[in-house]
Amino acid sequence: NTSGSSTLSFPVVTDDRGQLNASVNYDVTDNFIVGIEGVNLTEERIDQYCVNQDALLCFVGLPDRRITIGASYRF
């Protein structure tokens, strides 16, 4: 999976990556809903290599987890 170029104009290969996401919603009434959502709960990193998979590690991304709380009301 090539995904662009590094700062030195070499092809970049992004390593396989997975992340755990979860969400829960609760219908308080027929019209009022509350919920919570978590994205990247395991804080998986992003590894990119220059030229090919066995080459120099060019970039490591460390994305945070995100937790969102929300509510909605239907009229």
Side-chain angles (χ1 to χ4, degrees):
N1 179 21
T2 58
S3 61
S5 298
S6 70
T7 57
L8 302 174
S9 297
F10 291 115
V12 174
V13 177
T14 303
D15 202 8
D16 292 339
R17 174 182 177 268
Q19 69 181 37
L20 177 64
N21 301 333
S23 66
V24 176
N25 292 309
Y26 178 71
D27 296 342
V28 178
T29 67
D30 287 340
N31 295 335
F32 183 58
I33 301 167
V34 295
I36 185 168
E37 177 182 29
V39 176
N40 196 19
L41 294 173
T42 54
E43 292 184 308
E44 295 297 321
R45 67 187 223 171
I46 301 166
D47 292 336
Q48 291 184 333
Y49 300 88
C50 292
V51 182
N52 64 45
Q53 187 70 30
D54 298 322
L56 178 66
L57 184 62
C58 293
F59 172 80
V60 175
L62 301 172
D64 276 337
R65 73 176 57 101
R66 293 188 315 259
I67 307 293
T68 306
I69 299 171
S72 66
Y73 187 82
R74 289 183 289 217
F75 294 98

